[in-house]
Amino acid sequence: MKTIGILGGMSAASTQLYYGELCRLTRERLGGLHSPQLLIRSLDFAEIENLQAKAAWDEAGRVLNAEAKALENGGAEFVILATNTMHKLAEQMMQGVGIPLLHIADATAQAIQASGLQRPGLMATAFTMEQEFYTDRLVKAGLSPLVPNETDRAEIHRIIYDELCKEIITRQSEARYVEIACRLADAGADSLILGCTEVGMLLNQDNVPLPVFDTTRIHCAAALDMALS
């Protein structure tokens, strides 16, 4: 089994989900007492969020690049970045790094295509929904992503940062997310991407009237496939 390098902490809540899901999948796949071989570097999200808020993306990219190199030096054989938003800096992060990055948007697009769907709604941070680094990758894969309206985008983003990143889960916020997912369905979405690693804390296939693609679960499954290849 290859050693997976996880660059996480953005937020800590999402990194916990990654660890748990990778352990669960490995037990299912291999049985017995098997668990994944991991190196985890978890950053202080307060510092990263401050750089996001200031649009200091170059500085954030330098941080991620140093951490990716540290994972490589520690023995990781490939890297996964346990956050959708910070894939904005994927290219800068991997400069001078000799091991590959398994990109979360590519894994997600492949899963959607395999299901025969084409127009996914996207619920994520404002950065991921409004900037092109993520949606362009989906378009390049042959998909036609649909994002919520401005008011809904702001509400999704607020709940992620004010609640989910702090592991606060409320029925009120779940209801708001379900309403937004339903509006995306009414607008023509044929599926829904949970495009922030924390969104799955509120939404799942049981409360969404569309096929759901949880990027955390998809990314973990693809990482385990790569580790076992």
Side-chain angles (χ1 to χ4, degrees), residues 193-221:
I193 297 173
L194 309 187
C196 174
T197 46
E198 291 88 3
V199 171
M201 297 165 72
L202 292 179
L203 295 181
N204 54 67
Q205 197 59 75
D206 292 334
N207 62 5
V208 174
L210 291 168
V212 167
F213 292 87
D214 185 328
T215 55
T216 299
R217 294 181 181 276
I218 291 168
H219 205 197
C220 287

PDB file of all heavy atoms in Angstrom, residues 193-221:
ATOM      1  N   ILE A 193     -23.204  18.498  -6.214  1.00  0.00           N
ATOM      2  CA  ILE A 193     -21.859  18.338  -5.677  1.00  0.00           C
ATOM      3  C   ILE A 193     -21.799  19.006  -4.311  1.00  0.00           C
ATOM      4  O   ILE A 193     -22.069  20.204  -4.183  1.00  0.00           O
ATOM      5  CB  ILE A 193     -20.797  18.979  -6.592  1.00  0.00           C
ATOM      6  CG1 ILE A 193     -20.761  18.293  -7.960  1.00  0.00           C
ATOM      7  CG2 ILE A 193     -19.417  18.933  -5.939  1.00  0.00           C
ATOM      8  CD1 ILE A 193     -19.848  18.990  -8.956  1.00  0.00           C
ATOM      9  N   LEU A 194     -21.462  18.238  -3.281  1.00  0.00           N
ATOM     10  CA  LEU A 194     -21.161  18.804  -1.972  1.00  0.00           C
ATOM     11  C   LEU A 194     -19.713  19.270  -2.056  1.00  0.00           C
ATOM     12  O   LEU A 194     -18.781  18.566  -1.690  1.00  0.00           O
ATOM     13  CB  LEU A 194     -21.365  17.767  -0.872  1.00  0.00           C
ATOM     14  CG  LEU A 194     -22.719  17.027  -0.877  1.00  0.00           C
ATOM     15  CD1 LEU A 194     -22.848  16.149   0.364  1.00  0.00           C
ATOM     16  CD2 LEU A 194     -23.888  17.994  -0.975  1.00  0.00           C
ATOM     17  N   GLY A 195     -19.553  20.499  -2.572  1.00  0.00           N
ATOM     18  CA  GLY A 195     -18.255  20.980  -3.024  1.00  0.00           C
ATOM     19  C   GLY A 195     -17.423  21.679  -1.981  1.00  0.00           C
ATOM     20  O   GLY A 195     -16.455  22.352  -2.316  1.00  0.00           O
ATOM     21  N   CYS A 196     -17.794  21.533  -0.745  1.00  0.00           N
ATOM     22  CA  CYS A 196     -16.942  21.903   0.376  1.00  0.00           C
ATOM     23  C   CYS A 196     -16.912  20.683   1.273  1.00  0.00           C
ATOM     24  O   CYS A 196     -17.946  20.034   1.477  1.00  0.00           O
ATOM     25  CB  CYS A 196     -17.492  23.116   1.116  1.00  0.00           C
ATOM     26  SG  CYS A 196     -16.575  23.520   2.621  1.00  0.00           S
ATOM     27  N   THR A 197     -15.762  20.337   1.800  1.00  0.00           N
ATOM     28  CA  THR A 197     -15.640  19.083   2.537  1.00  0.00           C
ATOM     29  C   THR A 197     -16.494  19.049   3.796  1.00  0.00           C
ATOM     30  O   THR A 197     -16.730  17.978   4.343  1.00  0.00           O
ATOM     31  CB  THR A 197     -14.166  18.806   2.884  1.00  0.00           C
ATOM     32  OG1 THR A 197     -13.558  19.997   3.393  1.00  0.00           O
ATOM     33  CG2 THR A 197     -13.404  18.364   1.644  1.00  0.00           C
ATOM     34  N   GLU A 198     -17.015  20.211   4.240  1.00  0.00           N
ATOM     35  CA  GLU A 198     -17.905  20.223   5.401  1.00  0.00           C
ATOM     36  C   GLU A 198     -19.389  20.154   5.043  1.00  0.00           C
ATOM     37  O   GLU A 198     -20.216  19.922   5.925  1.00  0.00           O
ATOM     38  CB  GLU A 198     -17.672  21.494   6.244  1.00  0.00           C
ATOM     39  CG  GLU A 198     -16.343  21.559   6.970  1.00  0.00           C
ATOM     40  CD  GLU A 198     -15.231  22.160   6.123  1.00  0.00           C
ATOM     41  OE1 GLU A 198     -15.522  22.583   4.984  1.00  0.00           O
ATOM     42  OE2 GLU A 198     -14.088  22.207   6.594  1.00  0.00           O
ATOM     43  N   VAL A 199     -19.757  20.376   3.800  1.00  0.00           N
ATOM     44  CA  VAL A 199     -21.173  20.431   3.434  1.00  0.00           C
ATOM     45  C   VAL A 199     -21.874  19.107   3.719  1.00  0.00           C
ATOM     46  O   VAL A 199     -23.056  19.069   4.068  1.00  0.00           O
ATOM     47  CB  VAL A 199     -21.340  20.854   1.958  1.00  0.00           C
ATOM     48  CG1 VAL A 199     -22.789  20.713   1.499  1.00  0.00           C
ATOM     49  CG2 VAL A 199     -20.891  22.302   1.779  1.00  0.00           C
ATOM     50  N   GLY A 200     -21.128  18.017   3.624  1.00  0.00           N
ATOM     51  CA  GLY A 200     -21.694  16.709   3.924  1.00  0.00           C
ATOM     52  C   GLY A 200     -22.082  16.521   5.377  1.00  0.00           C
ATOM     53  O   GLY A 200     -22.727  15.529   5.727  1.00  0.00           O
ATOM     54  N   MET A 201     -21.721  17.473   6.233  1.00  0.00           N
ATOM     55  CA  MET A 201     -22.170  17.422   7.620  1.00  0.00           C
ATOM     56  C   MET A 201     -23.662  17.749   7.729  1.00  0.00           C
ATOM     57  O   MET A 201     -24.306  17.432   8.732  1.00  0.00           O
ATOM     58  CB  MET A 201     -21.344  18.392   8.471  1.00  0.00           C
ATOM     59  CG  MET A 201     -19.856  18.041   8.518  1.00  0.00           C
ATOM     60  SD  MET A 201     -18.803  19.375   9.154  1.00  0.00           S
ATOM     61  CE  MET A 201     -19.237  19.336  10.900  1.00  0.00           C
ATOM     62  N   LEU A 202     -24.219  18.388   6.684  1.00  0.00           N
ATOM     63  CA  LEU A 202     -25.637  18.761   6.678  1.00  0.00           C
ATOM     64  C   LEU A 202     -26.446  18.063   5.598  1.00  0.00           C
ATOM     65  O   LEU A 202     -27.636  17.817   5.779  1.00  0.00           O
ATOM     66  CB  LEU A 202     -25.783  20.278   6.503  1.00  0.00           C
ATOM     67  CG  LEU A 202     -25.305  21.167   7.653  1.00  0.00           C
ATOM     68  CD1 LEU A 202     -25.516  22.631   7.283  1.00  0.00           C
ATOM     69  CD2 LEU A 202     -26.019  20.831   8.948  1.00  0.00           C
ATOM     70  N   LEU A 203     -25.822  17.780   4.469  1.00  0.00           N
ATOM     71  CA  LEU A 203     -26.558  17.213   3.339  1.00  0.00           C
ATOM     72  C   LEU A 203     -26.074  15.809   3.024  1.00  0.00           C
ATOM     73  O   LEU A 203     -24.893  15.491   3.152  1.00  0.00           O
ATOM     74  CB  LEU A 203     -26.392  18.094   2.097  1.00  0.00           C
ATOM     75  CG  LEU A 203     -26.984  19.499   2.156  1.00  0.00           C
ATOM     76  CD1 LEU A 203     -26.739  20.212   0.826  1.00  0.00           C
ATOM     77  CD2 LEU A 203     -28.460  19.479   2.500  1.00  0.00           C
ATOM     78  N   ASN A 204     -27.004  14.978   2.571  1.00  0.00           N
ATOM     79  CA  ASN A 204     -26.679  13.619   2.156  1.00  0.00           C
ATOM     80  C   ASN A 204     -27.802  13.123   1.247  1.00  0.00           C
ATOM     81  O   ASN A 204     -28.765  13.857   0.981  1.00  0.00           O
ATOM     82  CB  ASN A 204     -26.500  12.702   3.366  1.00  0.00           C
ATOM     83  CG  ASN A 204     -27.700  12.734   4.284  1.00  0.00           C
ATOM     84  OD1 ASN A 204     -28.787  12.289   3.913  1.00  0.00           O
ATOM     85  ND2 ASN A 204     -27.531  13.276   5.490  1.00  0.00           N
ATOM     86  N   GLN A 205     -27.695  11.889   0.796  1.00  0.00           N
ATOM     87  CA  GLN A 205     -28.677  11.375  -0.147  1.00  0.00           C
ATOM     88  C   GLN A 205     -30.070  11.245   0.459  1.00  0.00           C
ATOM     89  O   GLN A 205     -31.075  11.218  -0.266  1.00  0.00           O
ATOM     90  CB  GLN A 205     -28.225  10.024  -0.695  1.00  0.00           C
ATOM     91  CG  GLN A 205     -28.950   9.597  -1.952  1.00  0.00           C
ATOM     92  CD  GLN A 205     -28.771  10.607  -3.089  1.00  0.00           C
ATOM     93  OE1 GLN A 205     -27.717  10.672  -3.698  1.00  0.00           O
ATOM     94  NE2 GLN A 205     -29.801  11.401  -3.389  1.00  0.00           N
ATOM     95  N   ASP A 206     -30.166  11.230   1.778  1.00  0.00           N
ATOM     96  CA  ASP A 206     -31.466  11.083   2.437  1.00  0.00           C
ATOM     97  C   ASP A 206     -32.279  12.384   2.464  1.00  0.00           C
ATOM     98  O   ASP A 206     -33.503  12.334   2.586  1.00  0.00           O
ATOM     99  CB  ASP A 206     -31.285  10.585   3.878  1.00  0.00           C
ATOM    100  CG  ASP A 206     -30.761   9.158   3.934  1.00  0.00           C
ATOM    101  OD1 ASP A 206     -31.007   8.412   2.970  1.00  0.00           O
ATOM    102  OD2 ASP A 206     -30.107   8.808   4.937  1.00  0.00           O
ATOM    103  N   ASN A 207     -31.629  13.536   2.374  1.00  0.00           N
ATOM    104  CA  ASN A 207     -32.389  14.792   2.478  1.00  0.00           C
ATOM    105  C   ASN A 207     -32.265  15.688   1.248  1.00  0.00           C
ATOM    106  O   ASN A 207     -32.696  16.846   1.277  1.00  0.00           O
ATOM    107  CB  ASN A 207     -32.005  15.569   3.745  1.00  0.00           C
ATOM    108  CG  ASN A 207     -30.546  15.997   3.793  1.00  0.00           C
ATOM    109  OD1 ASN A 207     -29.798  15.794   2.834  1.00  0.00           O
ATOM    110  ND2 ASN A 207     -30.133  16.572   4.918  1.00  0.00           N
ATOM    111  N   VAL A 208     -31.701  15.166   0.175  1.00  0.00           N
ATOM    112  CA  VAL A 208     -31.542  15.928  -1.066  1.00  0.00           C
ATOM    113  C   VAL A 208     -32.267  15.194  -2.194  1.00  0.00           C
ATOM    114  O   VAL A 208     -32.065  13.994  -2.380  1.00  0.00           O
ATOM    115  CB  VAL A 208     -30.053  16.103  -1.425  1.00  0.00           C
ATOM    116  CG1 VAL A 208     -29.897  16.774  -2.785  1.00  0.00           C
ATOM    117  CG2 VAL A 208     -29.336  16.918  -0.357  1.00  0.00           C
ATOM    118  N   PRO A 209     -33.092  15.896  -2.986  1.00  0.00           N
ATOM    119  CA  PRO A 209     -33.882  15.239  -4.039  1.00  0.00           C
ATOM    120  C   PRO A 209     -33.125  15.068  -5.353  1.00  0.00           C
ATOM    121  O   PRO A 209     -33.723  15.091  -6.430  1.00  0.00           O
ATOM    122  CB  PRO A 209     -35.055  16.208  -4.219  1.00  0.00           C
ATOM    123  CG  PRO A 209     -34.455  17.547  -3.959  1.00  0.00           C
ATOM    124  CD  PRO A 209     -33.439  17.334  -2.858  1.00  0.00           C
ATOM    125  N   LEU A 210     -31.823  14.911  -5.275  1.00  0.00           N
ATOM    126  CA  LEU A 210     -30.967  14.729  -6.443  1.00  0.00           C
ATOM    127  C   LEU A 210     -29.884  13.712  -6.093  1.00  0.00           C
ATOM    128  O   LEU A 210     -29.548  13.547  -4.916  1.00  0.00           O
ATOM    129  CB  LEU A 210     -30.273  16.053  -6.817  1.00  0.00           C
ATOM    130  CG  LEU A 210     -31.104  17.205  -7.369  1.00  0.00           C
ATOM    131  CD1 LEU A 210     -30.264  18.474  -7.379  1.00  0.00           C
ATOM    132  CD2 LEU A 210     -31.585  16.883  -8.765  1.00  0.00           C
ATOM    133  N   PRO A 211     -29.297  13.051  -7.076  1.00  0.00           N
ATOM    134  CA  PRO A 211     -28.106  12.249  -6.779  1.00  0.00           C
ATOM    135  C   PRO A 211     -27.014  13.143  -6.180  1.00  0.00           C
ATOM    136  O   PRO A 211     -26.699  14.199  -6.726  1.00  0.00           O
ATOM    137  CB  PRO A 211     -27.699  11.703  -8.147  1.00  0.00           C
ATOM    138  CG  PRO A 211     -28.946  11.736  -8.964  1.00  0.00           C
ATOM    139  CD  PRO A 211     -29.699  12.945  -8.496  1.00  0.00           C
ATOM    140  N   VAL A 212     -26.468  12.712  -5.056  1.00  0.00           N
ATOM    141  CA  VAL A 212     -25.496  13.516  -4.312  1.00  0.00           C
ATOM    142  C   VAL A 212     -24.085  12.981  -4.531  1.00  0.00           C
ATOM    143  O   VAL A 212     -23.851  11.767  -4.453  1.00  0.00           O
ATOM    144  CB  VAL A 212     -25.833  13.511  -2.803  1.00  0.00           C
ATOM    145  CG1 VAL A 212     -24.673  14.067  -1.984  1.00  0.00           C
ATOM    146  CG2 VAL A 212     -27.096  14.316  -2.547  1.00  0.00           C
ATOM    147  N   PHE A 213     -23.156  13.893  -4.784  1.00  0.00           N
ATOM    148  CA  PHE A 213     -21.747  13.546  -4.925  1.00  0.00           C
ATOM    149  C   PHE A 213     -20.967  14.282  -3.837  1.00  0.00           C
ATOM    150  O   PHE A 213     -20.729  15.484  -3.923  1.00  0.00           O
ATOM    151  CB  PHE A 213     -21.243  13.901  -6.325  1.00  0.00           C
ATOM    152  CG  PHE A 213     -21.864  13.045  -7.387  1.00  0.00           C
ATOM    153  CD1 PHE A 213     -23.075  13.405  -7.971  1.00  0.00           C
ATOM    154  CD2 PHE A 213     -21.267  11.850  -7.765  1.00  0.00           C
ATOM    155  CE1 PHE A 213     -23.673  12.595  -8.931  1.00  0.00           C
ATOM    156  CE2 PHE A 213     -21.861  11.036  -8.725  1.00  0.00           C
ATOM    157  CZ  PHE A 213     -23.063  11.403  -9.302  1.00  0.00           C
ATOM    158  N   ASP A 214     -20.631  13.536  -2.796  1.00  0.00           N
ATOM    159  CA  ASP A 214     -19.914  14.077  -1.643  1.00  0.00           C
ATOM    160  C   ASP A 214     -18.420  14.044  -1.966  1.00  0.00           C
ATOM    161  O   ASP A 214     -17.815  12.977  -2.060  1.00  0.00           O
ATOM    162  CB  ASP A 214     -20.229  13.233  -0.408  1.00  0.00           C
ATOM    163  CG  ASP A 214     -19.635  13.790   0.874  1.00  0.00           C
ATOM    164  OD1 ASP A 214     -18.554  14.408   0.814  1.00  0.00           O
ATOM    165  OD2 ASP A 214     -20.249  13.585   1.937  1.00  0.00           O
ATOM    166  N   THR A 215     -17.819  15.213  -2.120  1.00  0.00           N
ATOM    167  CA  THR A 215     -16.430  15.265  -2.577  1.00  0.00           C
ATOM    168  C   THR A 215     -15.471  14.609  -1.589  1.00  0.00           C
ATOM    169  O   THR A 215     -14.452  14.046  -2.004  1.00  0.00           O
ATOM    170  CB  THR A 215     -15.992  16.720  -2.835  1.00  0.00           C
ATOM    171  OG1 THR A 215     -16.205  17.504  -1.658  1.00  0.00           O
ATOM    172  CG2 THR A 215     -16.757  17.316  -3.996  1.00  0.00           C
ATOM    173  N   THR A 216     -15.766  14.670  -0.303  1.00  0.00           N
ATOM    174  CA  THR A 216     -14.890  14.024   0.676  1.00  0.00           C
ATOM    175  C   THR A 216     -14.852  12.521   0.448  1.00  0.00           C
ATOM    176  O   THR A 216     -13.779  11.904   0.372  1.00  0.00           O
ATOM    177  CB  THR A 216     -15.368  14.320   2.110  1.00  0.00           C
ATOM    178  OG1 THR A 216     -15.328  15.735   2.339  1.00  0.00           O
ATOM    179  CG2 THR A 216     -14.482  13.629   3.131  1.00  0.00           C
ATOM    180  N   ARG A 217     -16.033  11.913   0.338  1.00  0.00           N
ATOM    181  CA  ARG A 217     -16.101  10.463   0.143  1.00  0.00           C
ATOM    182  C   ARG A 217     -15.491  10.048  -1.195  1.00  0.00           C
ATOM    183  O   ARG A 217     -14.782   9.045  -1.297  1.00  0.00           O
ATOM    184  CB  ARG A 217     -17.549   9.998   0.240  1.00  0.00           C
ATOM    185  CG  ARG A 217     -18.159  10.175   1.624  1.00  0.00           C
ATOM    186  CD  ARG A 217     -19.596   9.680   1.679  1.00  0.00           C
ATOM    187  NE  ARG A 217     -20.183   9.883   2.991  1.00  0.00           N
ATOM    188  CZ  ARG A 217     -20.047   9.055   4.019  1.00  0.00           C
ATOM    189  NH1 ARG A 217     -19.338   7.936   3.865  1.00  0.00           N
ATOM    190  NH2 ARG A 217     -20.611   9.300   5.171  1.00  0.00           N
ATOM    191  N   ILE A 218     -15.772  10.826  -2.229  1.00  0.00           N
ATOM    192  CA  ILE A 218     -15.220  10.522  -3.554  1.00  0.00           C
ATOM    193  C   ILE A 218     -13.702  10.620  -3.543  1.00  0.00           C
ATOM    194  O   ILE A 218     -12.994   9.748  -4.070  1.00  0.00           O
ATOM    195  CB  ILE A 218     -15.819  11.487  -4.604  1.00  0.00           C
ATOM    196  CG1 ILE A 218     -17.302  11.182  -4.813  1.00  0.00           C
ATOM    197  CG2 ILE A 218     -15.048  11.383  -5.928  1.00  0.00           C
ATOM    198  CD1 ILE A 218     -18.028  12.256  -5.589  1.00  0.00           C
ATOM    199  N   HIS A 219     -13.181  11.680  -2.933  1.00  0.00           N
ATOM    200  CA  HIS A 219     -11.740  11.902  -2.887  1.00  0.00           C
ATOM    201  C   HIS A 219     -11.047  10.775  -2.110  1.00  0.00           C
ATOM    202  O   HIS A 219      -9.995  10.268  -2.527  1.00  0.00           O
ATOM    203  CB  HIS A 219     -11.474  13.253  -2.209  1.00  0.00           C
ATOM    204  CG  HIS A 219     -10.173  13.888  -2.597  1.00  0.00           C
ATOM    205  ND1 HIS A 219      -9.613  14.903  -1.859  1.00  0.00           N
ATOM    206  CD2 HIS A 219      -9.320  13.680  -3.648  1.00  0.00           C
ATOM    207  CE1 HIS A 219      -8.494  15.280  -2.433  1.00  0.00           C
ATOM    208  NE2 HIS A 219      -8.296  14.556  -3.510  1.00  0.00           N
ATOM    209  N   CYS A 220     -11.643  10.370  -1.001  1.00  0.00           N
ATOM    210  CA  CYS A 220     -11.067   9.290  -0.196  1.00  0.00           C
ATOM    211  C   CYS A 220     -11.053   7.972  -0.965  1.00  0.00           C
ATOM    212  O   CYS A 220     -10.068   7.221  -0.930  1.00  0.00           O
ATOM    213  CB  CYS A 220     -11.834   9.138   1.118  1.00  0.00           C
ATOM    214  SG  CYS A 220     -11.520  10.465   2.311  1.00  0.00           S
ATOM    215  N   ALA A 221     -12.151   7.663  -1.650  1.00  0.00           N
ATOM    216  CA  ALA A 221     -12.224   6.427  -2.425  1.00  0.00           C
ATOM    217  C   ALA A 221     -11.161   6.422  -3.530  1.00  0.00           C
ATOM    218  O   ALA A 221     -10.491   5.401  -3.759  1.00  0.00           O
ATOM    219  CB  ALA A 221     -13.617   6.247  -3.003  1.00  0.00           C
TER     220      ALA A 221
END
